Amino acid sequence: MTINGNKYYFNYEHNLIKNDTYDIETKEYDEDGQYQVVTKTYYADSKGKRVYNQWVNDSKMYAKADGTLAKEEVFTINGNDYLFDSSGYLVTDSSYTIDDVTYYTNSKGIVTSEGDAD
């Protein structure tokens, strides 16, 4: 729901979501012209507003320009490449594989190296 230009999400019990993630299913066409259901995850701040272009959840997740969370991807923020897992959490001091490429991160979640998964 949009109120005064801000997007809000209410759950099935009509409660405003605050300080939490929420999923919205949309129907889109893929590159082959097939109709598919796509789930997009967003984050609501303490007032229930959807957030954009900022770290959320104690800097463990990042909401991109369209409001969706960075998930299962390497995403560039202020010139640094950060790695996010399939749930949208920042991967720190670890390795994580996406599409047969293994990425390695430091304690801040910045990608330090990558290579083919064996």
Side-chain angles (χ1 to χ4, degrees):
M1 170 182 286
T2 301
I3 303 170
N4 295 328
N6 296 306
K7 294 197 181 281
Y8 298 87
Y9 183 75
F10 295 84
N11 65 16
Y12 66 93
E13 295 175 335
H14 309 288
N15 295 317
L16 179 63
I17 302 297
K18 297 179 183 179
N19 288 323
D20 205 356
T21 61
Y22 60 93
D23 294 331
I24 295 179
E25 288 186 349
T26 62
K27 295 178 183 175
E28 300 176 0
Y29 288 100
D30 64 16
E31 58 272 354
D32 297 323
Q34 300 296 314
Y35 211 49
Q36 62 182 1
V37 175
V38 177
T39 302
K40 296 182 179 185
T41 304
Y42 299 89
Y43 191 86
D45 68 10
S46 61
K47 295 181 181 179
K49 293 190 301 187
R50 183 184 296 174
V51 297
Y52 303 89
N53 289 320
Q54 64 183 288
W55 289 98
V56 297
N57 197 10
D58 295 324
S59 296
K60 296 175 188 167
M61 301 174 142
Y62 191 81
K64 302 187 291 185
D66 65 356
T68 59
L69 292 183
K71 290 175 77 172
E72 190 82 6
E73 65 181 301
V74 173
F75 190 74
T76 304
I77 304 165
N78 297 326
N80 292 311
D81 292 333
Y82 293 90
L83 179 61
F84 297 89
D85 68 15
S86 60
S87 296
Y89 285 95
L90 183 65
V91 177
T92 58
D93 278 328
S94 189
S95 64
Y96 190 82
T97 302
I98 302 172
D99 295 329
D100 296 325
V101 177
T102 300
Y103 298 91
Y104 300 89
T105 62
N106 65 16
S107 62
K108 295 181 180 181
I110 298 172
V111 175
T112 57
S113 65
E114 61 184 76
D116 292 335
D118 294 324

